[in-house]
Amino acid sequence: MGKKITLSITPEVGGYVRRRALSGVGSMKNVVATGPSPASLVNVLGGVRPAARATGMGTDTVYALCRGEGSISSYRKLAAAAGLSVEVVRGKSRAWQTLHSSLDMTWRTPPEVWRMVLVRLDIHQFTLDPCSPGPDSAIPCADHYTPAEDGLSRSWGEPGGAGAVWVNPPYGRALGSWIDKMIAEAYRGVKMIALVPARTGTKWWHKAIDAGAEAEFLRGRLRFLDGDGNPRDAAPFDSALLWWNAGAGLVHTLDARPAGLVG
């Protein structure tokens, strides 16, 4: 078999449909082909009737494929007749796409997580949230910087204070810049707790640890909240807290799983 075509499952489909698609069952409407379209494959095979003869399928089935309909299994037969193999992959879920967008700030921390941090620090509110989605944020803090106020360019407070800064940075390309900002503030002596993906193989992770951050790995995967405060599906990665100048609250792995954690 020659070149491989990838069918990427669309983000909108539910779990049952996704599982069927991964096993090669279901409609072509639930996948996106990163390769020749069915109509292109039919042309390669010489048209609808030759394609039907080459695949053993009816002409109605071939016509349906050309219209973007038909089944994944029928598309496999069409591709095989053209000397191509087909692989069905999960694709990137809408959760993954949004969480990895540098511009999106609407994925809010489950309250069980920041409440746990407040309890362990024995404080009632944070001094600052420099990555706040806006004044309607449920996280109690004395001050906040919205995206328009650009927390990267501002001071995060005086060092050695009694409070602590809460940081849930964007998880896209800008994350490295936020880590650099945390390092700079940590060197000033600012106390911070940051919620980040547990990507221990990345350069930014090692920069943070080398600069004194203490990592606490969360059991299970977080269910972040949308802009309306509703839980999303479980995040597509593990999470960790980075404690800066605040080691008194640290235990290296949470023993309990708050309601915002799954798995």
Side-chain angles (χ1 to χ4, degrees):
M1 196 68 70
K3 182 179 178 182
K4 179 183 292 185
I5 300 173
T6 299
L7 298 181
S8 182
I9 303 172
T10 56
E12 293 82 5
V13 303
Y16 174 72
V17 175
R18 184 178 296 271
R19 289 190 294 273
R20 282 171 52 84
L22 286 171
S23 65
V25 179
S27 172
M28 283 294 292
K29 292 181 178 181
N30 298 322
V31 296
V32 177
T34 57
S37 66
S40 297
L41 293 178
V42 169
N43 287 334
V44 168
L45 294 171
V48 172
R49 292 187 181 280
R53 289 194 296 269
T55 59
M57 298 187 296
T59 55
D60 287 345
T61 301
V62 177
Y63 276 122
L65 287 169
C66 291
R67 294 194 302 268
E69 301 171 355
S71 67
I72 295 172
S73 59
S74 296
Y75 181 79
R76 284 185 186 274
K77 293 178 182 178
L78 190 64
L84 304 172
S85 63
V86 175
E87 178 186 22
V88 183
V89 299
R90 291 180 180 276
K92 302 302 183 184
S93 68
R94 191 173 302 280
W96 192 98
Q97 295 169 354
T98 307
L99 280 167
H100 287 76
S101 167
S102 300
L103 301 177
D104 190 270
M105 292 275 191
T106 62
W107 287 76
R108 309 183 183 196
T109 311
E112 293 82 3
V113 177
W114 54 258
R115 285 172 182 164
M116 172 269 296
V117 173
L118 288 174
V119 168
R120 283 163 49 183
L121 291 175
D122 195 22
I123 56 177
H124 297 293
Q125 67 176 0
F126 298 103
T127 56
L128 173 69
D129 179 355
C131 307
S132 176
D136 61 338
S137 172
I139 300 177
C141 56
D143 198 4
H144 63 266
Y145 299 149
T146 65
E149 293 169 313
D150 188 13
L152 284 174
S153 64
R154 294 170 172 254
S155 170
W156 288 3
E158 296 300 320
V165 175
W166 171 259
V167 190
N168 180 10
Y171 291 169
R173 295 186 183 92
L175 181 53
S177 298
W178 285 93
I179 292 294
D180 289 341
K181 175 64 173 176
M182 292 179 220
I183 291 173
E185 294 294 324
Y187 282 152
R188 293 181 54 241
V190 174
K191 184 185 297 184
M192 293 171 288
I193 298 88
L195 175 64
V196 298
R199 299 190 184 123
T200 59
T202 59
K203 291 181 179 179
W204 63 258
W205 177 275
H206 286 278
K207 284 179 66 176
I209 300 301
D210 291 344
E214 296 183 83
E216 176 176 1
F217 298 95
L218 303 182
R219 296 184 187 274
R221 292 190 169 182
L222 289 176
R223 292 186 184 274
F224 287 87
L225 308 182
D226 62 19
D228 296 323
N230 300 312
R232 295 276 193 174
D233 291 337
F237 49 76
D238 298 324
S239 299
L241 295 173
L242 295 181
W243 296 74
W244 307 80
N245 302 320
L250 179 66
V251 294
H252 287 285
T253 306
L254 287 182
D255 293 327
R257 300 185 186 183
L261 298 175
V262 296

